[in-house]
Amino acid sequence: MNYRVTHVTEVRYDALVNLARFNLRLKPVDWSGQTLTGYRLYVSPSPKSIIEESGPFVVNTARLTLDKPTASLSVTSEFFVTVDRALPPVDEQVSSLSDVRSAALADRGLTARDPASYLFASPIAVMTPEIAEWAASRLGGDIDIIAAVSSLMHAIHDEFVYDSKATKADTPPLQAFRAKRGVCQDFAHIMIIALRHAGVPAAYVSGYLRTIPPPGKARLVGADATHAWVNVWCGASLGWIGFDPTNAMLAGNDHIFTAMGRDFSDVSPLDGVFIGGGGQRMKVSVEVTPLDS
């Protein structure tokens, strides 16, 4: 499946900003089953500099500096990507949950794609016994890793309500867990915390999801949004597999991978600091356009 993705961020400040530095994490990384075929970044006002770098996790970062007074910022990221992601073969030998735990602890790799970085607590996905206890019955025993993670994924989907007004970007995962309400970011963090408590490497994925309108309805431009799901390391033979607890499905050809980190703080599309400005208002619009139809 071929896509064009346009991600527009507009920020308005209450007073002039005299100096600003931002991190943009909008350019998709190279990832299995996905090929980036074109990328463009437009910034207004024109920045003093844009420095591109990678890491420390599976993320492309553009460091942006503004050094002239401005009351607004507009960032448009546009890219073209081909997604041809194979789902795990059902007839392949799958490692058990306990085997994955042991293999993750024995793995000595320290790159951003190795399991070690995603075994322990992180700034947002802190260890939370209450979440671990809730998930324990689904992550016990010696069942295969895909069955165990799928059980947890379906539990989140079935027991939690998607409610865009229930949480904010900085809502702690435990608060969303207790309310049993939230959005994809909350569900991903809850799933990550549960898996790490069980000794299973789990990472936060930032990306996009193609949405399909109801029959007879036109697809609305800008109705799409950024999406989040969980990458789970399922042993050396299968590697990383994406699980989407918001939709109770494996990440397939409708999922467009941007970046992977320990939690949202590692892959946030835009963050930074500025001098002046007072308050700010941000508007984000995303359009995911399939090019094959």
Side-chain angles (χ1 to χ4, degrees):
M1 179 69 71
N2 296 292
Y3 296 99
R4 180 181 69 238
V5 178
T6 306
H7 183 142
V8 180
T9 304
E10 297 177 335
V11 185
R12 303 285 179 180
Y13 300 101
D14 292 339
L16 288 179
V17 167
N18 297 308
L19 175 67
R21 293 180 178 175
F22 296 103
N23 299 311
L24 308 180
R25 305 179 186 90
L26 296 166
K27 181 179 180 180
V29 299
D30 293 328
W31 192 257
S32 176
Q34 181 173 301
T35 303
L36 183 67
T37 57
Y39 181 79
R40 292 188 288 261
L41 179 67
Y42 307 95
V43 180
S44 179
S46 182
K48 175 184 178 181
S49 64
I50 299 178
I51 300 174
E52 295 188 2
E53 58 185 55
S54 59
F57 297 96
V58 187
V59 57
N60 289 320
T61 302
R63 300 195 183 280
L64 172 73
T65 300
L66 300 175
D67 65 345
K68 295 180 180 179
T70 182
S72 64
L73 172 68
S74 175
V75 177
T76 299
S77 166
E78 181 184 47
F79 64 85
F80 297 83
V81 66
T82 299
V83 183
D84 186 11
R85 186 171 292 117
L87 296 179
V90 295
D91 57 348
E92 184 170 322
Q93 183 67 33
V94 178
S95 298
S96 68
L97 192 68
S98 59
D99 286 342
V100 169
R101 288 193 193 103
S102 298
L105 290 174
D107 192 290
R108 292 294 179 262
L110 295 177
T111 74
R113 297 174 186 247
D114 289 315
S117 297
Y118 309 97
L119 272 171
F120 307 103
S122 53
I124 297 176
V126 298
M127 290 305 189
T128 310
E130 190 172 331
I131 294 176
E133 291 172 7
W134 168 81
S137 63
R138 299 171 178 88
L139 300 176
D142 203 31
I143 61 175
D144 76 65
I145 183 66
I146 293 179
V149 178
S150 294
S151 175
L152 175 63
M153 175 181 70
H154 282 281
I156 294 172
H157 178 265
D158 294 345
E159 297 181 25
F160 291 71
V161 176
Y162 187 94
D163 183 352
S164 61
K165 297 181 180 180
T167 58
K168 299 180 180 180
D170 59 353
T171 298
L174 181 58
Q175 183 176 326
F177 173 78
R178 288 174 172 172
K180 294 294 187 288
R181 310 180 80 85
V183 295
C184 57
Q185 175 179 313
D186 305 302
F187 303 156
H189 283 143
I190 290 167
M191 187 170 177
I192 287 168
I193 291 169
L195 289 166
R196 290 181 187 168
H197 264 287
V200 176
Y204 185 102
V205 176
S206 172
Y208 304 93
L209 177 67
R210 180 180 70 145
T211 57
I212 301 174
K217 298 292 184 179
R219 185 178 162 279
L220 299 178
V221 174
D224 299 305
T226 56
H227 191 50
W229 61 95
V230 180
N231 256 8
V232 181
W233 191 75
C234 296
S237 61
L238 290 178
W240 294 100
I241 295 177
F243 293 80
D244 182 351
T246 304
N247 297 290
M249 63 188 299
L250 295 178
N253 289 337
D254 290 336
H255 291 75
I256 301 167
F257 186 109
T258 301
M260 182 175 88
R262 298 166 301 172
D263 56 41
F264 175 74
S265 65
D266 291 331
V267 298
S268 171
L270 185 151
D271 60 26
V273 296
F274 59 87
I275 298 175
Q280 64 178 13
R281 297 174 300 281
M282 180 182 293
K283 178 182 177 181
V284 178
S285 175
V286 173
E287 183 180 354
V288 179
T289 306
L291 301 178
D292 298 328
S293 59

